[in-house]
Amino acid sequence: MKLSFSKSVLTLLLVGIAPSLSAETLTFPMFSIDVETGWNHSIEGQSPASTGRGELISIFRPDGVGKLRILSYVAPDDVSKDALRNLTNVEISTQLTWQENGEYSGYQHSYIENGLFHKQWWLKNKRTMLFIIYDCDVGLQQIEIDAVNKIVNSIKKNLP
């Protein structure tokens, strides 16, 4: 009887966890990204192809606390680390560490301003750059930050 009860509890736990483990791949012209079930996305505008700039993509949970926004851009030439660092809005005296995020590399920085928590990424893969920001009310960032980091780390390049 005890074993049967344990199996039932384990089955219920696995069934409850399984939906949150499933992911969906969102594919855009310059990159693809994996999001967990329950996260939605919207495209907030499209630029002419000649500008090199992609759509502004928002990814969020309807019952969540924040929003992840991604803007892509294709530069005329490969983007260097120094050029990408110069595009950040972070004081030059602030040390930013070069990191790998999925198939992209770049910088990230977190800060609090006007009651909001912000985490930004400036990423590149050759000529393609991604500018990413997640924001939410201060004190709530721990609710979604692991899922947001997982999303950003799942980025894959679509263009050659």
Side-chain angles (χ1 to χ4, degrees), residues 17-75:
I17 292 172
S20 65
L21 296 178
S22 61
E24 163 186 15
T25 300
L26 303 176
T27 303
F28 302 99
M30 294 177 217
F31 66 96
S32 63
I33 194 164
D34 296 334
V35 297
E36 293 178 10
T37 300
W39 286 73
N40 294 338
H41 77 283
S42 64
I43 299 174
E44 298 179 12
Q46 191 167 5
S47 296
S50 62
T51 67
R53 195 181 106 208
E55 305 92 1
L56 176 60
I57 300 160
S58 294
I59 300 173
F60 56 92
R61 288 184 330 165
D63 60 345
V65 298
K67 185 182 283 189
L68 182 69
R69 291 183 306 269
I70 303 171
L71 181 64
S72 57
Y73 178 78
V74 178

Side-chain angles (χ1 to χ4, degrees), residues 30 73-74 104 123-129 157 159:
M30 294 177 217
Y73 178 78
V74 178
Y104 284 76
L123 304 176
K124 74 165 196 92
N125 184 314
K126 298 184 181 178
R127 295 178 39 216
T128 304
M129 294 182 288
K157 186 174 182 248
L159 294 178

Side-chain angles (χ1 to χ4, degrees), residues 89-90 94-96 107-111 118-122:
N89 60 345
V90 180
T94 301
Q95 179 69 32
L96 296 180
Y107 302 103
Q108 65 176 290
H109 181 65
S110 300
Y111 62 96
H118 303 276
K119 184 167 184 177
Q120 293 182 295
W121 293 261
W122 300 268

